[in-house]
Amino acid sequence: MTDAVGSIDTPDAEDEAPRKSRKGGKRGKKGPLGRLALFYRQIVAELRKVVWPTRNQLSTYTTVVIIFVVIMIGLVTVIDYGFQDVVKYVFG
């Protein structure tokens, strides 16, 4: 039985390709300490790519977050008191 995609009975060409083993390369030849050192070097390399905010940007972002959190606390408090009044009214 064959359709536009291929046969159900036979696998596609990409499925027949042999799989490469994961052994070897940088990870396979080093012991646990070598892999840990490689991991640390990769972390340092990624941190060098980060664009860090300036002090002015950091203080602005911090202020915005604090104001947002205070507003959300107020909103949740008002909603909580509203539900409290509704529950007192319904259940006495």
Side-chain angles (χ1 to χ4, degrees), residues 45-70:
E46 288 298 320
L47 285 175
R48 286 187 180 141
K49 296 178 188 177
V50 174
V51 178
W52 297 99
T54 63
R55 184 174 294 273
N56 189 21
Q57 290 173 334
L58 188 63
S59 63
T60 302
Y61 298 155
T62 303
T63 304
V64 168
V65 168
I66 290 173
I67 290 172
F68 177 76
V69 168
V70 167

Side-chain angles (χ1 to χ4, degrees), residues 72-84:
M72 291 307 294
I73 288 172
L75 182 66
V76 169
T77 302
V78 168
I79 291 172
D80 186 45
Y81 280 129
F83 281 133
Q84 180 182 354

